[in-house]
Coordinates of all heavy atoms in Angstrom, one line a residue:
P16 N -4.1 -10.6 -6.2 CA -4.8 -11.6 -5.4 C -5.8 -11.1 -4.4 O -5.6 -9.9 -3.9 CB -3.6 -12.2 -4.7 CG -2.4 -11.5 -5.2 CD -2.7 -10.5 -6.0
E17 N -6.7 -11.9 -4.1 CA -7.6 -11.5 -3.0 C -7.1 -11.5 -1.7 O -6.2 -12.3 -1.4 CB -8.8 -12.5 -3.0 CG -9.6 -12.5 -4.3 CD -10.4 -11.0 -4.5 OE1 -10.9 -10.6 -3.6 OE2 -10.3 -10.6 -5.7
P18 N -7.5 -10.7 -0.8 CA -6.8 -10.7 0.6 C -7.0 -12.0 1.2 O -6.1 -12.4 2.0 CB -7.8 -9.7 1.3 CG -8.2 -8.7 0.2 CD -8.5 -9.6 -1.0
A19 N -8.1 -12.8 1.0 CA -8.2 -14.1 1.6 C -7.1 -15.0 1.1 O -6.6 -15.7 1.8 CB -9.6 -14.6 1.3
S20 N -6.7 -15.0 -0.1 CA -5.7 -15.8 -0.7 C -4.3 -15.3 -0.1 O -3.4 -16.2 0.1 CB -5.8 -15.9 -2.1 OG -5.4 -14.6 -2.7
I21 N -4.2 -14.1 0.1 CA -2.9 -13.6 0.6 C -2.7 -14.1 2.1 O -1.6 -14.6 2.3 CB -2.8 -12.1 0.5 CG1 -2.8 -11.5 -0.8 CG2 -1.6 -11.5 1.5 CD1 -3.0 -10.1 -1.0
A22 N -3.9 -14.0 2.8 CA -3.8 -14.5 4.2 C -3.5 -16.0 4.3 O -2.7 -16.5 5.1 CB -5.1 -14.1 4.9
A23 N -4.1 -16.8 3.4 CA -4.0 -18.2 3.4 C -2.5 -18.6 3.0 O -2.0 -19.4 3.7 CB -4.9 -18.8 2.3
R24 N -2.0 -17.9 2.0 CA -0.4 -18.1 1.8 C 0.4 -17.7 2.8 O 1.4 -18.4 3.1 CB 0.0 -17.4 0.4 CG -0.8 -18.0 -0.8 CD -0.2 -17.5 -2.0 NE -0.6 -16.1 -2.1 CZ -0.2 -15.3 -3.0 NH1 0.6 -15.6 -4.0 NH2 -0.7 -13.9 -3.1
M25 N 0.1 -16.6 3.5 CA 1.0 -16.2 4.7 C 0.9 -17.3 5.9 O 1.9 -17.6 6.4 CB 0.4 -14.9 5.2 CG 0.9 -13.6 4.7 SD 0.4 -12.2 5.4 CE 1.5 -12.3 6.9
R26 N -0.4 -17.7 6.1 CA -0.5 -18.7 7.1 C 0.3 -20.0 6.8 O 1.0 -20.5 7.7 CB -1.9 -19.1 7.4 CG -2.8 -18.0 8.0 CD -4.3 -18.5 8.3 NE -5.0 -17.5 9.0 CZ -5.7 -16.6 8.5 NH1 -6.0 -16.6 7.3 NH2 -6.3 -15.7 9.2
E27 N 0.2 -20.5 5.5 CA 0.9 -21.6 5.1 C 2.4 -21.4 5.4 O 3.2 -22.3 5.9 CB 0.7 -21.9 3.7 CG 1.4 -23.0 3.2 CD 1.0 -23.3 1.7 OE1 -0.1 -22.9 1.2 OE2 1.9 -23.8 1.0
R28 N 3.0 -20.3 5.0 CA 4.4 -20.1 5.1 C 4.8 -19.8 6.5 O 5.9 -20.4 6.9 CB 4.8 -18.8 4.3 CG 4.8 -19.1 2.8 CD 5.2 -17.9 1.9 NE 5.1 -18.3 0.5 CZ 4.9 -17.3 -0.4 NH1 4.7 -16.2 -0.1 NH2 4.8 -17.8 -1.7
L29 N 4.0 -19.3 7.3 CA 4.4 -19.0 8.7 C 4.4 -20.4 9.5 O 5.1 -20.6 10.3 CB 3.4 -18.2 9.4 CG 3.5 -16.6 9.0 CD1 2.4 -15.9 9.5 CD2 4.9 -16.0 9.4
R30 N 3.3 -21.3 9.1 CA 3.3 -22.6 9.7 C 4.6 -23.4 9.4 O 5.0 -24.2 10.2 CB 2.1 -23.3 9.3 CG 0.8 -22.6 10.1 CD -0.5 -23.2 9.7 NE -1.5 -22.4 10.3 CZ -2.8 -22.5 10.1 NH1 -3.2 -23.5 9.3 NH2 -3.6 -21.8 10.7
L31 N 4.9 -23.4 8.1 CA 6.1 -24.1 7.7 C 7.4 -23.6 8.5 O 8.4 -24.4 8.6 CB 6.4 -23.8 6.1 CG 5.5 -24.6 5.2 CD1 5.8 -24.1 3.8 CD2 5.8 -26.1 5.3
R32 N 7.4 -22.4 8.9 CA 8.5 -21.9 9.6 C 8.3 -22.0 11.1 O 9.1 -21.5 11.9 CB 8.7 -20.4 9.4 CG 9.2 -20.2 7.9 CD 9.5 -18.8 7.6 NE 10.0 -18.7 6.2 CZ 9.8 -17.6 5.4 NH1 9.2 -16.6 5.8 NH2 10.3 -17.7 4.2
H33 N 7.2 -22.7 11.5 CA 6.9 -23.0 12.9 C 6.7 -21.7 13.8 O 7.0 -21.7 15.0 CB 8.0 -23.9 13.6 CG 8.1 -25.1 12.8 ND1 7.3 -26.2 12.8 CD2 9.2 -25.6 12.0 CE1 7.7 -27.1 12.0 NE2 8.9 -26.7 11.4
Y34 N 6.1 -20.6 13.2 CA 5.6 -19.5 14.0 C 4.5 -20.0 14.9 O 3.6 -20.8 14.5 CB 5.3 -18.5 13.1 CG 6.4 -17.6 12.5 CD1 7.3 -18.2 11.6 CD2 6.6 -16.3 12.9 CE1 8.3 -17.5 11.0 CE2 7.8 -15.6 12.4 CZ 8.5 -16.2 11.4 OH 9.6 -15.6 11.0
S35 N 4.4 -19.3 16.0 CA 3.3 -19.5 16.9 C 1.9 -19.1 16.3 O 2.0 -18.2 15.4 CB 3.4 -18.9 18.3 OG 3.2 -17.4 18.1
L36 N 0.9 -19.6 16.7 CA -0.5 -19.3 16.2 C -0.7 -17.8 16.5 O -1.3 -17.1 15.7 CB -1.6 -20.2 16.8 CG -3.0 -19.9 16.4 CD1 -3.1 -20.1 14.8 CD2 -4.0 -21.0 17.0
R37 N -0.3 -17.4 17.6 CA -0.5 -16.0 18.1 C 0.1 -15.0 17.1 O -0.4 -14.0 16.8 CB -0.1 -15.9 19.4 CG -0.5 -14.6 20.1 CD -0.3 -14.6 21.7 NE -0.4 -13.3 22.1 CZ -0.7 -13.2 23.5 NH1 -0.9 -14.2 24.3 NH2 -1.0 -12.0 23.8
T38 N 1.4 -15.4 16.7 CA 2.3 -14.5 15.8 C 1.6 -14.6 14.5 O 1.4 -13.6 13.8 CB 3.7 -15.1 15.8 OG1 4.2 -15.0 17.0 CG2 4.5 -14.2 14.7
E39 N 1.2 -15.8 14.0 CA 0.4 -15.9 12.7 C -0.7 -14.9 12.7 O -0.9 -14.2 11.6 CB 0.0 -17.3 12.5 CG -0.8 -17.6 11.3 CD -1.3 -18.9 11.3 OE1 -0.5 -20.0 11.6 OE2 -2.5 -19.1 11.1
R40 N -1.5 -15.0 13.7 CA -2.7 -14.2 13.6 C -2.3 -12.7 13.7 O -3.0 -11.8 13.0 CB -3.6 -14.5 14.9 CG -4.3 -15.7 14.8 CD -5.1 -16.0 16.2 NE -5.8 -17.3 16.1 CZ -6.1 -18.0 17.1 NH1 -5.8 -17.5 18.3 NH2 -6.7 -19.2 17.0
A41 N -1.3 -12.3 14.4 CA -0.9 -10.9 14.5 C -0.3 -10.5 13.0 O -0.7 -9.4 12.6 CB 0.2 -10.7 15.5
Y42 N 0.4 -11.3 12.4 CA 1.0 -10.9 11.1 C 0.0 -10.8 10.1 O 0.1 -9.9 9.2 CB 2.1 -12.0 10.8 CG 3.4 -11.8 11.4 CD1 3.7 -11.0 12.6 CD2 4.6 -12.4 10.9 CE1 4.9 -10.9 13.2 CE2 5.9 -12.3 11.5 CZ 6.0 -11.6 12.7 OH 7.2 -11.3 13.3
V43 N -1.0 -11.7 10.2 CA -2.0 -11.7 9.1 C -2.9 -10.4 9.3 O -3.2 -9.7 8.4 CB -2.9 -13.0 9.1 CG1 -4.2 -12.8 8.4 CG2 -2.1 -14.1 8.7
A44 N -3.1 -10.1 10.6 CA -3.9 -8.8 10.9 C -3.2 -7.6 10.4 O -3.7 -6.8 9.9 CB -4.1 -8.7 12.4
W45 N -1.7 -7.5 10.7 CA -1.0 -6.4 10.2 C -0.9 -6.2 8.7 O -1.1 -5.2 8.2 CB 0.4 -6.5 10.8 CG 0.5 -6.0 12.1 CD1 1.0 -6.8 13.2 CD2 0.2 -4.7 12.8 NE1 0.9 -5.9 14.4 CE2 0.4 -4.7 14.1 CE3 -0.2 -3.6 12.2 CZ2 0.3 -3.6 14.8 CZ3 -0.5 -2.4 12.9 CH2 -0.2 -2.5 14.4
T46 N -0.9 -7.4 8.0 CA -0.9 -7.4 6.6 C -2.2 -6.9 6.2 O -2.3 -6.1 5.2 CB -0.5 -8.7 6.0 OG1 0.8 -9.1 6.5 CG2 -0.4 -8.8 4.5
S47 N -3.3 -7.4 6.6 CA -4.7 -7.0 6.3 C -4.8 -5.4 6.4 O -5.4 -4.7 5.6 CB -5.6 -7.6 7.0 OG -6.9 -7.2 6.8
R48 N -4.3 -4.9 7.6 CA -4.4 -3.6 7.9 C -3.5 -2.6 6.9 O -4.0 -1.6 6.4 CB -3.9 -3.3 9.4 CG -4.3 -1.9 9.8 CD -4.0 -2.0 11.4 NE -4.1 -0.6 11.9 CZ -3.8 -0.3 13.1 NH1 -3.7 -1.2 14.1 NH2 -3.8 1.0 13.4
F49 N -2.4 -3.2 6.5 CA -1.6 -2.5 5.6 C -2.2 -2.4 4.3 O -2.2 -1.4 3.6 CB -0.2 -3.2 5.5 CG 0.7 -2.7 4.5 CD1 1.3 -1.4 4.6 CD2 1.0 -3.4 3.3 CE1 2.1 -0.9 3.6 CE2 1.8 -3.0 2.4 CZ 2.4 -1.7 2.5
L50 N -2.7 -3.4 3.7 CA -3.5 -3.5 2.5 C -4.7 -2.7 2.5 O -4.9 -1.9 1.4 CB -3.9 -4.9 2.1 CG -2.6 -6.0 1.9 CD1 -3.1 -7.3 1.5 CD2 -1.8 -5.5 0.7
S51 N -5.3 -2.6 3.6 CA -6.5 -1.7 3.7 C -6.0 -0.2 3.7 O -6.9 0.6 3.3 CB -7.3 -2.0 5.0 OG -7.8 -3.2 5.0
A52 N -4.9 0.1 4.2 CA -4.4 1.5 4.1 C -3.9 1.8 2.7 O -3.7 3.0 2.4 CB -3.3 1.6 5.1
N53 N -4.0 0.8 1.9 CA -3.5 1.1 0.4 C -4.5 0.5 -0.5 O -4.2 -0.3 -1.2 CB -2.1 0.4 0.2 CG -1.0 1.1 0.9 OD1 -0.6 2.2 0.6 ND2 -0.7 0.5 2.1
P54 N -5.8 1.0 -0.4 CA -6.9 0.3 -1.1 C -6.7 0.5 -2.8 O -6.0 1.5 -3.2 CB -8.1 1.1 -0.8 CG -7.5 2.5 -0.3 CD -6.1 2.2 0.3
G55 N -7.1 -0.5 -3.4 CA -7.0 -0.5 -4.8 C -5.6 -0.8 -5.4 O -5.5 -0.7 -6.7
R56 N -4.6 -1.1 -4.6 CA -3.3 -1.3 -5.1 C -2.9 -2.7 -5.0 O -3.4 -3.4 -3.9 CB -2.3 -0.4 -4.4 CG -2.7 1.0 -4.3 CD -1.7 2.0 -4.8 NE -0.3 1.7 -5.2 CZ 0.9 2.2 -4.6 NH1 0.7 3.0 -3.5 NH2 1.9 1.8 -5.1
H57 N -2.3 -3.3 -6.0 CA -1.9 -4.7 -6.0 C -0.8 -4.8 -5.0 O 0.1 -3.9 -5.0 CB -1.5 -5.2 -7.3 CG -1.3 -6.6 -7.4 ND1 -0.1 -7.2 -7.0 CD2 -2.2 -7.7 -7.8 CE1 -0.2 -8.5 -7.2 NE2 -1.4 -8.8 -7.6
P58 N -0.6 -5.9 -4.2 CA 0.5 -6.0 -3.2 C 1.8 -5.9 -3.9 O 2.8 -5.3 -3.2 CB 0.2 -7.3 -2.5 CG -1.2 -7.5 -2.6 CD -1.6 -6.9 -3.9
A59 N 2.0 -6.4 -5.1 CA 3.3 -6.3 -5.8 C 3.7 -4.8 -6.1 O 4.8 -4.7 -6.3 CB 3.2 -7.0 -7.0
E60 N 2.7 -3.9 -6.1 CA 3.1 -2.5 -6.3 C 3.6 -1.8 -5.0 O 4.1 -0.7 -5.1 CB 1.8 -1.8 -6.9 CG 1.2 -2.2 -8.1 CD -0.2 -1.7 -8.4 OE1 -0.6 -0.5 -7.7 OE2 -0.7 -2.0 -9.4
L61 N 3.3 -2.4 -3.9 CA 3.6 -1.7 -2.7 C 5.1 -2.1 -2.2 O 5.5 -3.2 -2.3 CB 2.6 -2.2 -1.6 CG 1.2 -2.0 -1.8 CD1 0.2 -2.7 -0.8 CD2 0.9 -0.4 -2.0
G62 N 5.8 -1.1 -1.8 CA 7.2 -1.3 -1.5 C 7.6 -0.5 -0.2 O 6.6 -0.1 0.6
G63 N 8.9 -0.1 -0.2 CA 9.4 0.5 1.0 C 8.7 1.9 1.4 O 8.4 2.2 2.5
T64 N 8.4 2.6 0.4 CA 7.8 3.8 0.5 C 6.3 3.8 1.2 O 6.1 4.5 2.4 CB 7.6 4.7 -0.8 OG1 8.8 4.8 -1.4 CG2 6.9 6.0 -0.5
E65 N 5.6 2.9 0.8 CA 4.3 2.6 1.5 C 4.5 2.0 2.9 O 3.7 2.3 3.7 CB 3.5 1.6 0.6 CG 3.0 2.3 -0.7 CD 4.1 2.3 -1.8 OE1 5.2 1.5 -1.6 OE2 3.8 2.9 -2.8
V66 N 5.5 1.1 3.1 CA 5.6 0.6 4.4 C 6.1 1.6 5.4 O 5.5 1.7 6.5 CB 6.6 -0.6 4.3 CG1 7.0 -1.0 5.7 CG2 6.2 -1.8 3.6
E67 N 6.9 2.5 4.9 CA 7.4 3.6 5.7 C 6.2 4.5 6.0 O 6.1 5.0 7.2 CB 8.5 4.4 5.2 CG 9.1 5.4 5.9 CD 10.4 6.1 5.3 OE1 10.9 5.4 4.3 OE2 10.7 7.2 5.6
R68 N 5.4 4.8 5.1 CA 4.3 5.7 5.4 C 3.3 4.9 6.4 O 2.9 5.7 7.3 CB 3.6 6.1 4.1 CG 2.4 7.0 4.3 CD 1.7 7.5 3.0 NE 2.5 7.3 1.9 CZ 2.2 6.5 0.7 NH1 1.3 5.7 0.8 NH2 2.9 6.5 -0.2
F69 N 3.1 3.8 6.2 CA 2.2 3.0 7.1 C 2.8 3.0 8.6 O 2.0 3.3 9.5 CB 2.0 1.6 6.6 CG 1.3 0.7 7.4 CD1 -0.2 0.9 7.6 CD2 1.8 -0.3 8.2 CE1 -1.0 0.1 8.3 CE2 1.0 -1.1 9.0 CZ -0.4 -1.0 9.1
L70 N 4.1 2.8 8.7 CA 4.7 2.8 10.0 C 4.6 4.1 10.7 O 4.4 4.2 11.9 CB 6.0 2.1 10.0 CG 6.1 0.8 9.5 CD1 7.7 0.3 9.4 CD2 5.5 -0.2 10.5
T71 N 4.9 5.2 9.9 CA 4.8 6.5 10.4 C 3.5 6.9 10.8 O 3.3 7.5 11.9 CB 5.4 7.5 9.4 OG1 6.8 7.2 8.9 CG2 5.3 8.9 9.8
D72 N 2.4 6.5 10.0 CA 1.0 6.8 10.5 C 0.8 6.0 11.7 O -0.1 6.6 12.6 CB 0.1 6.4 9.4 CG 0.1 7.3 8.3 OD1 0.6 8.4 8.4 OD2 -0.6 6.9 7.1
L73 N 1.3 4.8 11.9 CA 1.0 4.2 13.2 C 1.6 4.9 14.4 O 0.9 5.0 15.3 CB 1.7 2.7 13.2 CG 1.0 1.6 12.2 CD1 1.8 0.4 12.5 CD2 -0.4 1.4 12.7
A74 N 2.7 5.5 14.2 CA 3.2 6.2 15.3 C 2.6 7.6 15.5 O 2.3 7.9 16.6 CB 4.8 6.4 15.1
A75 N 2.4 8.3 14.5 CA 1.8 9.6 14.5 C 0.3 9.6 14.8 O -0.1 10.4 15.7 CB 2.2 10.4 13.3
R76 N -0.4 8.8 14.1 CA -2.0 9.0 14.2 C -2.4 8.0 15.4 O -3.3 8.4 16.2 CB -2.6 8.6 12.9 CG -4.0 8.9 12.8 CD -4.7 8.3 11.6 NE -4.2 7.0 11.4 CZ -4.1 6.4 10.2 NH1 -4.3 7.2 9.1 NH2 -3.7 5.1 10.1
D77 N -1.8 6.8 15.5 CA -2.3 5.8 16.4 C -1.6 5.7 17.6 O -1.9 5.1 18.6 CB -2.4 4.4 15.7 CG -3.3 4.3 14.6 OD1 -4.2 5.2 14.4 OD2 -3.2 3.4 13.7
D78 N -0.4 6.5 17.7 CA 0.4 6.6 18.9 C 0.8 5.2 19.4 O 0.6 5.0 20.7 CB -0.4 7.5 19.9 CG 0.6 7.9 21.1 OD1 1.8 8.1 20.8 OD2 0.1 8.1 22.2
V79 N 1.2 4.3 18.5 CA 1.7 3.0 19.0 C 3.1 2.9 19.5 O 3.9 3.8 19.2 CB 1.5 1.9 17.9 CG1 0.1 1.8 17.4 CG2 2.4 2.2 16.7
A80 N 3.4 2.0 20.3 CA 4.7 1.9 20.8 C 5.7 1.4 19.8 O 5.3 0.7 18.7 CB 4.7 0.9 22.0
S81 N 7.0 1.6 20.0 CA 8.1 1.1 19.0 C 8.1 -0.4 18.8 O 8.1 -0.8 17.7 CB 9.5 1.7 19.4 OG 9.8 1.1 20.6
G82 N 7.7 -1.1 19.8 CA 7.6 -2.5 19.7 C 6.5 -2.9 18.8 O 6.5 -3.9 18.0
T83 N 5.3 -2.2 18.8 CA 4.2 -2.5 17.9 C 4.5 -2.2 16.5 O 4.3 -2.9 15.6 CB 3.0 -1.6 18.4 OG1 2.8 -1.9 19.7 CG2 1.8 -1.9 17.5
Q84 N 5.4 -1.0 16.4 CA 5.7 -0.8 15.0 C 6.7 -1.9 14.4 O 6.7 -2.3 13.2 CB 6.5 0.6 15.0 CG 5.7 1.8 14.8 CD 6.7 3.0 14.6 OE1 7.5 3.2 15.5 NE2 6.5 3.7 13.6
N85 N 7.6 -2.4 15.3 CA 8.5 -3.5 15.0 C 7.8 -4.7 14.6 O 8.2 -5.3 13.6 CB 9.5 -3.7 16.1 CG 10.5 -2.6 16.2 OD1 10.8 -1.8 15.3 ND2 11.1 -2.5 17.4
Q86 N 6.7 -5.0 15.4 CA 5.9 -6.2 14.9 C 5.3 -6.0 13.6 O 5.3 -7.0 12.7 CB 4.8 -6.5 16.0 CG 4.1 -7.7 15.7 CD 2.9 -8.1 16.6 OE1 2.1 -7.1 16.8 NE2 3.0 -9.1 17.2
A87 N 4.7 -4.8 13.3 CA 4.0 -4.6 12.0 C 5.1 -4.7 10.9 O 4.8 -5.2 9.9 CB 3.4 -3.1 12.0
L88 N 6.3 -4.1 11.1 CA 7.4 -4.3 10.0 C 7.7 -5.7 9.8 O 7.9 -6.1 8.7 CB 8.6 -3.4 10.5 CG 9.9 -3.5 9.6 CD1 9.4 -3.0 8.2 CD2 10.9 -2.7 10.2
A89 N 7.9 -6.5 11.0 CA 8.2 -7.9 10.8 C 7.0 -8.6 9.9 O 7.5 -9.5 9.1 CB 8.4 -8.6 12.1
A90 N 5.8 -8.2 10.1 CA 4.8 -8.9 9.5 C 4.8 -8.6 7.9 O 4.5 -9.5 7.2 CB 3.5 -8.4 10.0
L91 N 5.2 -7.4 7.7 CA 5.2 -7.0 6.3 C 6.5 -7.4 5.5 O 6.4 -7.6 4.4 CB 5.2 -5.5 6.1 CG 3.7 -4.9 6.8 CD1 3.8 -3.4 6.8 CD2 2.5 -5.4 6.0

């Protein structure tokens, strides 16, 4: 699926669950960033290994706080 369609489906599901607009935007952004970190791969091919690598890179390379990592994990 195209990234735009993934984002649209995410937004629809988050709205059905009554997530705030701010959370919706953050989750869509994290998902986009995760997919960009795994170019050329279909989202169905991505699993725990790729998520763990992404979160580790956030901590090691981007020096993000644990709360930021937790938000990224929740989004994925």
Side-chain angles (χ1 to χ4, degrees):
E17 294 295 319
S20 66
I21 292 170
R24 287 188 297 171
M25 278 189 71
R26 284 186 179 97
E27 180 181 328
R28 290 183 180 150
L29 291 168
R30 288 175 187 176
L31 285 172
R32 294 181 177 151
H33 305 287
Y34 280 70
S35 74
L36 181 57
R37 196 170 170 155
T38 300
E39 175 186 314
R40 288 178 180 153
Y42 280 19
V43 168
W45 279 118
T46 302
S47 175
R48 191 167 168 181
F49 174 68
L50 293 175
S51 293
N53 294 280
R56 305 228 8 231
H57 190 278
E60 298 174 6
L61 303 172
T64 302
E65 291 80 11
V66 170
E67 187 175 337
R68 185 178 330 116
F69 178 71
L70 295 174
T71 300
D72 284 349
L73 285 178
R76 186 185 53 209
D77 298 340
D78 197 33
V79 301
S81 62
T83 304
Q84 273 186 303
N85 288 336
Q86 184 186 53
L88 177 60
L91 301 175

